[in-house]
Amino acid sequence: MIKIYEDNDSIGLFLQLMQRRSEEDSKDALEAVEGIIGAVRKEGDASIKAFTEKFDGVTLEQLKVNEVEIEDAFSKVSSNIKNALEKAITNIEYFHKKQIRQSWVSTEENGVIMGQKISALEKVGVYVPGGSAAYPSSVLMNVIPAKLAGVKKIVMVTPPKKDGSIDSNILVAAKLAGVSEIYKVGGAQAIAALAYGTDTIPKVDKIVGPGNIYVALAKRVCYGKVDIDMIAGPSEITIVCDEKANPRFLAADLMSQAEHDKLASSVLITTSKTLAEEVNKQINIQIQNLNRKEIIEASLKNYGGILVVKSLEEAIDMANTIAPEHLELMIENPIAYLGKVKNAGSIFLGQYSPEPLGDYMAGPNHVLPTNGTARFFSPLSVDDFIKKSSYIYYTEDALRELSEDIMILAKAEGLDAHGNSIKVRVENE
Amino acid sequence: MIKIYEDNDSIGLFLQLMQRRSEEDSKDALEAVEGIIGAVRKEGDASIKAFTEKFDGVTLEQLKVNEVEIEDAFSKVSSNIKNALEKAITNIEYFHKKQIRQSWVSTEENGVIMGQKISALEKVGVYVPGGSAAYPSSVLMNVIPAKLAGVKKIVMVTPPKKDGSIDSNILVAAKLAGVSEIYKVGGAQAIAALAYGTDTIPKVDKIVGPGNIYVALAKRVCYGKVDIDMIAGPSEITIVCDEKANPRFLAADLMSQAEHDKLASSVLITTSKTLAEEVNKQINIQIQNLNRKEIIEASLKNYGGILVVKSLEEAIDMANTIAPEHLELMIENPIAYLGKVKNAGSIFLGQYSPEPLGDYMAGPNHVLPTNGTARFFSPLSVDDFIKKSSYIYYTEDALRELSEDIMILAKAEGLDAHGNSIKVRVENE
């Protein structure tokens, strides 16, 4: 059952509430994280093993996952799952290959050459959470764009279980996607190891992948020393629909987002109050058979909302204000409305493009900007694993032509050594 | 005079030293910044005016720069400077237009449509420092790519002088580049205003532009609430040269970087000790006529180095380790070596492409990754002012074809409401 909001004031209050969702910023957690990072920088592998003993309850001899463990995982995972992963990889690669960019050069008539050189990051770290949030699909989504960008070394880290093992699905997904090395380490200590390097774990250029509050804080603290993917918050879906949309589909999609966690937000914006009520009926029916019923109920109660508005235009404006991670347009001729969408991580068009299709199989990335940050952040892509360098080559004549103007601006800025570097080239000694 | 390093050990120690340059992270500064941000969020314009009184020593009636002030600035700035700025704008636009990217779509035979939609950020804030670091060229470099990306509202903030005015060159550059609105506010209070909005100053999606330690900390604290350009550290130049390079040019270029500040680092890597000594002679001659002699001497003493190596290959490897903001290749046939360069913000090829040419006039951006972050960060570009959304449209048949595999993966991840969203679409009620 999701609360229905009809008047502007209560809709406004609901939107404010959902945008204020977030985990408490904890000074204690930050201090703990800073302590862990300091220890890893100082003591390297020894402190990694100590933290793993403390937090994961297991004493490890070797941090690195070996070939036998990977073969073992392959033998344990069903061929159904392996085939599904392979199909997902094919589709994800198909989409992400279209994102690959080329270096460009511009050669001018006067002999000047300028351009932008694209190169892959050399080493990337991928964090994979443990426990119930160990998702093989996320391994694919984080690793494949890095691989396609041309990253040579992709280092995966993930916390071990109490028996020292790693989830078999995760190992299989990592191997199939092309991870180079896997280490059994999680939490802030894993981020510190990737940012600074230890004897065993290589220092990387960028760290991607989701994690708990300690992982998120450690990424934020190390940002600048190493690049990170994005600042992730609680996730959400917004569905815009007209009165012809199928309430059964709508209910299912809202719940598929809600099952993630109690901070997740599922919002339906519709022009039809009758439909809103039918959706609630469908939720009550379908939820009975769902395993994560309790989480779904809490999430829908806390941050779920059905907003009844006057027009489709108003609905899309409201979605732009929310700037949702996932936006479903369950309307007739949805492609005609694509131009009106300003802020959304991933957009699902029509009745047969539900969000879980995008989570697993369609091809676009499921690592998306959350909590309203689609105003300025983008889905994870091949772009996240490259860097650019610009370059220029000037001839003596071409430099001479601009020399006066450069010296004028250098003087205006009080930087005469800048002017001098031009002067020594255009004036005789 | 720059110290010459010849053996591997002392070169290694020098490289470590230069990579450890940075301003002290100050807990006091962070607390001050958090206090300022809190006050601006709570009290808006009133606190902006109070901080401006406190830090800039001026009581402002109006925060917004008005048309009369801009006209006044145009009348004060010489036509030489205006012409030079216009020429710079032409060249910067020429280069950055080549960075503009297009949305793409892929239409499949089975009716599936998928794509990536590019949209401009809606509102961007540009911070411009006051005092002696008020550089009109930086205004151009930050504003032009935003404009070309299609950003509708570009909001500039800059601290006022004691008489309440803004530097005329800055105002002229802002107007010529296409800034929408200018506000007289600096420091952490300016960043807070842009991140959260006040009655007068609009909330933006991204904040770019350099600033002092308080500005940098405020940007870091607000990151996630708003996007920021990059984490900037002290800047540097690395020059790789062969024995034919002109020592007069080399000396001038090293000093043009050194004059920025005492933390700047100027490094020459050469195969010729004779040349190294000639460069030092040239520095001693040229420095006598430079205004910022004291800063240059301090910077060259602290973080300057001439590294003598055995081969050009070794020199370029070393430059890749440094990952410099600016890399000059003062060698014969420099373009042939471009492929060997892995990590550098901007690359200057040959004898007649000195760094100040790129700072002002050549076209590429001068906002670059510093302090070794060219390993993973890129020059400011049109890319920094866009966001991407992915989208999919599936037909019923196309969804049905993938439905089994999606449900297998959803089940493997324990997310059965995800599976349910597919099930309701492919199974009869």
Side-chain angles (χ1 to χ4, degrees), chain B residues 337-389:
Chain B
Y337 287 84
L338 199 50
K340 291 194 197 297
V341 177
K342 305 286 175 218
N343 304 321
S346 198
I347 308 164
F348 302 83
L349 303 165
Q351 305 286 317
Y352 291 95
S353 313
E355 192 239 273
L357 164 64
D359 280 346
Y360 294 113
M361 275 289 161
N365 213 287
H366 79 202
V367 180
L368 298 167
T370 53
N371 204 19
T373 59
R375 282 194 296 123
F376 45 79
F377 287 151
S378 299
L380 194 72
S381 75
V382 172
D383 288 346
D384 288 293
F385 299 100
I386 58 117
K387 64 201 173 203
K388 293 163 274 183
S389 303

Side-chain angles (χ1 to χ4, degrees), chain B residues 146-216:
Chain B
K147 197 86 193 162
L148 290 175
V151 175
K152 292 224 183 72
K153 188 174 270 199
I154 302 174
V155 182
M156 191 173 110
V157 291
T158 187
K161 297 185 202 167
K162 277 212 163 38
D163 65 0
S165 73
I166 305 290
D167 181 77
S168 298
N169 289 335
I170 294 294
L171 290 182
V172 167
K175 195 69 189 172
L176 292 176
V179 165
S180 324
E181 300 166 3
I182 307 170
Y183 296 92
K184 297 174 182 177
V185 52
Q189 59 273 25
I191 302 302
L194 292 171
Y196 291 95
T198 71
D199 288 341
T200 310
I201 301 170
K203 173 182 165 181
V204 300
D205 300 317
K206 181 164 187 164
I207 304 172
V208 300
N212 63 20
I213 182 74
Y214 295 95
V215 171

Side-chain angles (χ1 to χ4, degrees), chain B residues 360-423:
Chain B
Y360 294 113
M361 275 289 161
N365 213 287
H366 79 202
V367 180
L368 298 167
T370 53
N371 204 19
T373 59
R375 282 194 296 123
F376 45 79
F377 287 151
S378 299
L380 194 72
S381 75
V382 172
D383 288 346
D384 288 293
F385 299 100
I386 58 117
K387 64 201 173 203
K388 293 163 274 183
S389 303
S390 49
Y391 60 90
I392 54 170
Y393 168 84
Y394 261 63
T395 62
E396 184 175 355
D397 285 350
L399 177 65
R400 205 172 280 276
E401 218 169 282
L402 295 177
S403 58
E404 277 303 318
D405 289 310
I406 299 171
M407 289 191 278
I408 287 165
L409 290 180
K411 192 177 168 200
E413 294 189 352
L415 297 172
D416 72 338
H418 279 59
N420 180 58
S421 135
I422 306 301
K423 199 174 148 198

Side-chain angles (χ1 to χ4, degrees), chain B residues 226-298:
Chain B
V226 65
D227 195 15
I228 62 172
D229 46 358
M230 57 181 99
I231 304 280
S235 70
E236 66 275 325
I237 192 170
T238 294
I239 307 180
V240 168
C241 75
D242 55 26
E243 52 294 337
K244 290 188 187 158
N246 184 326
R248 219 171 133 230
F249 298 178
L250 293 167
D253 294 0
L254 292 164
M255 288 191 292
S256 79
Q257 178 62 30
E259 79 171 328
H260 274 298
D261 79 73
K262 293 179 181 178
L263 286 173
S265 171
S266 301
V267 177
L268 177 66
I269 313 178
T270 177
T271 48
S272 160
K273 179 150 188 211
T274 317
L275 183 68
E277 283 157 352
E278 280 170 49
V279 168
N280 268 332
K281 273 185 216 152
Q282 275 294 329
I283 287 176
N284 289 340
I285 296 168
Q286 293 179 33
I287 201 171
Q288 305 311 327
N289 301 314
L290 297 176
N291 292 329
R292 296 164 76 96
K293 189 174 172 218
E294 201 196 325
I295 297 173
I296 295 172
E297 276 171 347

Side-chain angles (χ1 to χ4, degrees), chain A residues 390-409:
Chain A
S390 50
Y391 60 89
I392 54 170
Y393 169 83
Y394 262 62
T395 62
E396 185 176 352
D397 285 349
L399 176 66
R400 205 173 279 278
E401 219 168 281
L402 295 177
S403 58
E404 278 303 318
D405 289 310
I406 299 170
M407 289 191 279
I408 287 167
L409 290 179

Side-chain angles (χ1 to χ4, degrees), chain A residues 94 99 116 137 205 253 259 343-344 347 351 353 375 378 383 387-390 394 413 418 425, chain B residues 94 99 108 116 137 205 253 259 343-344 347 351 353 375 378 383 387-390 394 413 418 425:
Chain A
Y94 179 80
Q99 296 174 332
Q116 180 174 284
S137 60
D205 300 317
D253 294 1
E259 79 170 330
N343 304 322
I347 308 164
Q351 305 287 319
S353 313
R375 282 195 295 125
S378 300
D383 288 347
K387 64 202 173 202
K388 294 162 275 183
S389 302
S390 50
Y394 262 62
E413 295 188 351
H418 279 60
R425 285 169 165 90
Chain B
Y94 179 80
Q99 295 173 332
E108 313 299 328
Q116 182 174 281
S137 60
D205 300 317
D253 294 0
E259 79 171 328
N343 304 321
I347 308 164
Q351 305 286 317
S353 313
R375 282 194 296 123
S378 299
D383 288 346
K387 64 201 173 203
K388 293 163 274 183
S389 303
S390 49
Y394 261 63
E413 294 189 352
H418 279 59
R425 285 172 166 87

